[in-house]
Amino acid sequence: MSARTPENEAPVWYHSCAAALTTLLLAEKYLPGRPAALFVVVASILVMSLTALSALGFKVVGALPQGLPEFKLPGLRLRDAEGVIPLAFACMLLAYVESVSAARALAEAHRYEIDPRQELLGLGAANLGAAFFQAYPVAGGLSQSSVNDKAGARTPLALVFASATIGLCLLFLTTSLKNLPSVVLAAIVLVAVKGLVDIAGMRAVWRVSRQEFLVSMIAFAAVLLLGILNGVIVAVLASLALMLRRAAHPHVAMLGCIPGTRIYADMERHTENLPVPGALLFRVESSLLYFNAEQVRDAVKQKVRESASSVHLVVCDLSSSPVVDMAGAGMLAKLRQELNEAGIELRLVSAHAEAREILRAEGLAEGVGYAGRGISVADVVEEFQGGSAARSSTVSE
């Protein structure tokens, strides 16, 4: 009868994991920079090979293919493309996200910079080479990078030595490695990645941006529940959904003059700012696009209605709107028409070059005058106040 039973398997697995974790943690504290993980691996292989523990049902690495991969051209056929392309895209997304995440985590820990474009180029080159040796897709994993970092790696030369060591293991040590317990590998990874769990950083994210914290928690839960690939895809989709939601409901700032200056800022955030009598000044703190244009129009019309008949001028500051698409320009044209029917003038100021081209194509340039970066809210307000003063003088005479 096999010695593997539910009564004895779990306790032995638990004690083995605890022993490996304890050894690694003690070595990390009292023997920093020493190859403690290598010692644990060798010791566990010897124990599994020379004792009867293997009969208790330990999961081991098992037999590994011996020898180096051979050069071989990819055998992709045209009819296979439909099934391969979605899988290749998923592998690319997962590889890039995980690689850049690991690189950024280590770069922040060691205070150096990375170039995500170079990371993508390196991944592409590595996978191109792997394709000619029938290898698995290449990625910079968080666990592998953490183990490498804990082992003392500081330069890319460490990857050269790691690759050479893997090659030697494939040539001469595959038989010896078959008795390596999987629980030992798990313990090594757990100890390696524990330093990347930044609780203080998560608290900072919570304080600074609740939406960023929500995305991080969605990514964390999705990876745990659905696996790395599906979890990363869910996190990316959640991030895009939150970004689109924020863009679809942009903040429309109602502007007032900062006392003693010609600068106009959001009156909601700066209650000391002075409103301009007879004028409504607003700034859209986002690009004007097809999915948020109506939200902006409704917000402006609501403010006009709240001001009753006291508004004679509406000024739209486009300095925070780098992009205005056709729907956004059409919304401004429609808003101008509605305001003109109510006896209210619409002026546009501080538009970017690309936005001005769209506005001219929509025919707004003729109706609102020059709207470039050379004219500011203060210029239009001073012109309006000068005209109001002249009208008042004429009426009094």
Side-chain angles (χ1 to χ4, degrees):
M1 179 181 292
S2 172
R4 180 180 179 181
T5 63
E7 291 76 20
N8 59 21
E9 180 180 357
V12 172
W13 176 89
Y14 176 83
H15 292 308
S16 301
C17 183
L21 285 172
T22 302
T23 303
L24 291 168
L25 291 173
L26 290 175
E28 185 182 56
K29 183 176 181 179
Y30 296 107
L31 299 172
R34 302 296 190 274
L38 180 61
F39 168 77
V40 171
V41 167
V42 173
S44 64
I45 291 175
L46 291 176
V47 170
M48 293 295 294
S49 301
L50 302 177
T51 67
L53 285 177
S54 58
L56 297 180
F58 274 90
K59 290 184 178 181
V60 294
V61 171
L64 299 173
Q66 190 171 14
L68 298 176
E70 298 179 357
F71 179 84
K72 185 179 179 182
L73 293 175
L76 182 64
R77 296 167 296 184
L78 186 60
R79 63 174 178 268
D80 298 329
E82 183 179 356
V84 170
I85 289 177
L87 180 60
F89 176 78
C91 288
M92 182 273 293
L93 177 64
L94 175 61
Y96 181 68
V97 170
E98 188 174 9
S99 299
V100 172
S101 299
R104 283 179 173 167
L106 294 175
E108 184 175 351
H110 297 291
R111 297 184 178 181
Y112 61 85
E113 298 293 331
I114 66 166
D115 186 348
R117 292 174 294 182
Q118 289 296 108
E119 296 289 331
L120 181 60
L121 181 62
L123 281 174
N127 280 285
L128 181 62
F132 292 100
F133 291 91
Q134 307 300 301
Y136 284 107
V138 179
L142 183 61
S143 57
Q144 303 95 311
S145 301
S146 301
V147 171
N148 202 29
D149 181 62
K150 286 293 182 182
R154 292 294 178 269
T155 70
L157 189 61
L159 298 177
V160 177
F161 286 103
S163 300
T165 302
I166 292 173
L168 292 174
C169 290
L170 289 175
L171 288 173
F172 306 110
L173 299 177
T174 54
T175 304
S176 302
L177 291 172
K178 70 178 183 180
N179 288 327
L180 174 60
S182 299
V183 67
V184 171
L185 293 178
I188 292 173
V189 172
L190 285 174
V191 172
V193 302
K194 72 176 180 61
L196 298 179
V197 180
D198 188 0
I199 302 298
M202 295 304 298
R203 291 198 189 102
V205 173
W206 171 262
R207 290 195 304 270
V208 174
S209 173
R210 301 297 172 86
Q211 286 194 351
E212 298 281 349
F213 182 82
L214 177 60
V215 171
S216 66
M217 290 297 100
I218 290 175
F220 178 74
V223 168
L224 288 180
L225 297 175
L226 305 175
I228 294 179
L229 177 58
N230 292 329
V232 168
I233 292 175
V234 169
V236 170
L237 293 176
S239 179
L240 289 174
L242 289 174
M243 182 178 66
L244 289 174
R245 180 181 179 276
R246 183 161 46 191
H249 298 82
H251 177 59
V252 181
M254 299 300 161
L255 308 179
C257 183
I258 299 177
T261 71
R262 296 180 74 247
I263 301 173
Y264 288 78
D266 189 356
M267 290 194 296
E268 182 179 340
R269 298 187 179 184
H270 305 279
T271 55
E272 71 278 8
N273 290 358
L274 304 175
V276 178
L280 177 68
L281 321 173
F282 73 94
R283 180 179 64 233
V284 184
E285 298 185 347
S286 169
S287 293
L288 269 176
L289 305 171
Y290 68 95
F291 51 79
N292 65 16
E294 294 304 317
Q295 298 284 340
V296 173
R297 173 170 165 265
D298 292 343
V300 174
K301 290 180 65 176
Q302 177 64 29
K303 287 293 182 180
V304 171
R305 284 194 294 269
E306 291 175 359
S307 302
S309 59
S310 61
V311 175
H312 303 288
L313 172 69
V314 173
V315 180
C316 175
D317 181 2
L318 293 174
S319 60
S320 297
S321 303
V323 178
V324 177
D325 67 4
M326 291 186 63
M331 180 276 292
L332 291 174
K334 186 175 181 180
L335 178 64
R336 172 178 171 270
Q337 179 181 355
E338 293 173 346
L339 293 175
N340 285 347
E341 292 174 355
I344 302 172
E345 181 185 5
L346 174 67
R347 293 291 301 273
L348 308 178
V349 300
S350 302
H352 294 256
E354 293 184 4
R356 292 200 302 271
E357 293 177 2
I358 296 293
L359 295 175
R360 279 196 294 267
E362 191 66 28
L364 277 169
E366 294 78 7
V368 300
Y370 176 72
R373 305 300 296 271
I375 186 170
S376 66
V377 174
D379 297 330
V380 175
V381 169
E382 290 170 1
E383 178 186 338
F384 169 72
Q385 290 177 332
S388 299
R391 287 192 296 271
S392 299
S393 175
T394 302
V395 171
S396 63
E397 290 176 0

